[in-house]
Amino acid sequence: MLNIDWKNLPFGYVKTDYNVRCYWRNGQWGELEVSSSETVNIHIAATCLHYGQEAFEGLKAFRCKDGKVRVFRWEENAKRLRNSADGILMKSVPDKLFKEAMELAVKLNMHYVPPQDTGSSLYIRPLLIGSGPKVGVQPADEYLFMIFVTPVGPYFKEGFKPVNVQIIRDYDRAAPLGTGHIKVGGNYAASLIAGERAHHEGYSTAIFLDAHEKKFIDEAGPANFFAIKGNSYITPQSKSILPSITNMSLRTLAEDMGMKVELKSITVEDLAGFDEVGACGTAAVISPIKKIQDRDTGKVYEYCKDGNAGPVSTKLYNRLRAIQSGEEPDKFGWTHVIE
Ligand SMILES: *Cc1c(COP(=O)(O)O)cnc(C)c1O
């Protein structure tokens, strides 16, 4: 038996038994390897260490009521990893290899998939790095694809409770024609100062505006932004936003619930007219937002006046969670059983 307090897991790293790895060498992907080591031995001149050739993914496996373990929308993560690889000239991982590696990583660590009614899940972290040496700025000749898994609780400490966030203008996470639309480590490096400062100032995250005009909402830290206004689900459209699979799923659910889905630029002023706002991503599904403070003007936008998440966000959250945990029929074909 594992000595894990499943209900109080942080969103952090817990050691599991195995991870899986695969190298691209001499023009092809090799055999999947199973490792019980938590470390990676790579060349000191590997391009991931110097020139940021690194991309990652994040998805979850859930233990369901029927005892089966289901992974949510892995095909979308596989596709996004291919886009990320293309975007920084790495060898892309074929979907078949992604699937095999993911299934193996989960199966080898099956007893780390948290029990069904704990709110916790098994986080799956695929990553792809340039592992071959280069001293001049060039893409590597060798790549390493890995997947590790770790049991996690909810991302935001507060759980499905409204959080406070701040709008900032003195840092950008991504340039308009840069790499904001792909899931590469460099974007995260660029967001760290603003994110840590937000935490120190008492906010759960920083909202980044579009880098060009500083007028439109781009992302809520490492999550997408959405708003509810009347019967509409509104989410920003921008070339520097990472296309969130959670956001994509929420849009489908909103439409299914008879709502209108609008993809459009959202200005800071628009915030005053919304009924509910939130951040979304795999880690938390939805983080409802209670208060947005503009760090420069001091202006405050408030939601959830009674302290609870709004009704539409709550409904969307519950439906997505019900599909993930197998309590609601998977009518969109989003889940995949690991057998
Ligand atoms: C991963 C990520 C998200 C969330 O995407 P999901 O597929 O929903 O997990 C949002 N924004 C950024 C910047 C991300 O890296």
Side-chain angles (χ1 to χ4, degrees):
M1 279 300 284
L2 293 168
N3 186 22
I4 295 177
D5 180 7
W6 299 111
K7 283 199 166 129
N8 294 301
L9 274 174
F11 189 87
Y13 180 80
V14 171
K15 185 181 188 304
T16 54
D17 295 342
Y18 301 104
N19 55 75
V20 299
R21 306 166 184 216
C22 188
Y23 284 94
W24 163 278
R25 280 182 183 131
N26 306 318
Q28 58 180 344
W29 286 103
E31 293 291 308
L32 260 187
E33 299 166 21
V34 173
S35 171
S36 57
S37 166
E38 290 173 279
T39 61
V40 189
N41 196 358
I42 49 172
H43 199 288
I44 197 168
T47 59
C48 65
L49 299 177
H50 301 264
Y51 305 130
Q53 273 201 307
E54 189 274 352
F56 67 97
E57 274 303 324
L59 64 164
K60 282 176 170 178
F62 301 86
R63 195 174 295 282
C64 302
K65 270 235 165 78
D66 59 6
K68 292 186 174 151
V69 170
R70 289 179 174 82
V71 176
F72 188 71
R73 302 196 80 172
W74 72 268
E75 299 93 332
E76 293 296 332
N77 295 90
K79 185 165 132 195
R80 195 167 64 187
L81 185 61
R82 280 193 275 110
N83 287 337
S84 297
D86 292 347
I88 53 170
L89 292 181
M90 299 195 290
K91 292 300 164 201
S92 72
V93 176
D95 291 5
K96 188 168 164 281
L97 172 58
F98 185 101
K99 184 180 186 208
E100 256 175 55
M102 172 193 78
E103 290 187 325
L104 186 59
V106 175
K107 273 191 229 174
L108 289 168
N109 297 289
M110 213 46 148
H111 53 297
Y112 289 95
V113 185
Q116 182 255 325
D117 53 1
T118 54
S120 298
S121 53
L122 188 74
Y123 185 69
I124 304 168
R125 170 55 63 92
L127 65 154
L128 175 63
I129 60 174
S131 53
K134 288 283 175 195
V135 174
V137 180
Q138 283 171 57
D141 297 322
E142 182 189 298
Y143 291 86
L144 172 56
F145 170 54
M146 296 174 274
I147 300 187
F148 73 81
V149 300
T150 190
V152 294
Y155 186 78
F156 286 90
K157 283 195 292 287
E158 296 88 350
F160 193 64
K161 278 266 180 64
V163 298
N164 296 334
V165 302
Q166 66 176 188
I167 292 173
I168 59 131
R169 288 177 189 76
D170 51 348
Y171 293 99
D172 295 313
R173 67 170 278 283
L177 300 176
T179 53
H181 63 295
I182 54 177
K183 210 168 175 74
V184 299
N187 296 337
Y188 278 76
S191 76
L192 284 176
I193 293 179
E196 284 302 289
R197 185 180 64 187
H199 295 158
H200 286 303
E201 294 181 356
Y203 298 90
S204 76
T205 198
I207 292 192
F208 292 99
L209 301 182
D210 75 285
H212 181 51
E213 293 187 82
K214 294 283 156 70
K215 220 171 128 186
F216 305 107
I217 308 252
D218 237 19
E219 290 216 56
N224 275 189
F225 179 88
F226 73 92
I228 307 295
K229 183 175 184 172
N231 196 39
S232 290
Y233 177 102
I234 309 164
T235 192
Q237 185 147 44
S238 148
K239 284 206 170 93
S240 52
I241 290 179
L242 195 279
S244 152
I245 297 160
T246 311
N247 193 353
M248 198 195 302
S249 309
L250 293 173
R251 295 202 297 268
T252 301
L253 291 177
E255 242 162 33
D256 192 59
M257 282 158 42
M259 295 180 72
K260 189 172 159 211
V261 170
E262 299 179 54
L263 277 155
K264 60 182 191 190
S265 300
I266 298 178
T267 64
V268 174
E269 290 73 41
D270 289 338
L271 291 174
F274 295 142
D275 302 325
E276 301 176 28
V277 298
C280 63
T282 294
V285 179
I286 287 177
S287 280
I289 295 172
K290 186 165 62 192
K291 185 176 102 176
I292 303 178
Q293 172 133 42
D294 189 318
R295 197 173 183 274
D296 299 308
T297 66
K299 202 161 177 205
V300 172
Y301 304 86
E302 285 190 275
Y303 312 87
C304 326
K305 294 265 163 64
D306 64 354
N308 296 314
V312 179
S313 303
T314 304
K315 218 157 139 186
L316 286 167
Y317 174 84
N318 287 338
R319 270 204 78 189
L320 188 60
R321 289 291 295 114
I323 292 173
Q324 289 177 330
S325 62
E327 277 161 65
E328 180 177 321
D330 178 19
K331 75 184 248 195
F332 305 105
W334 285 343
T335 66
H336 170 71
V337 177
I338 305 284
E339 337 204 53

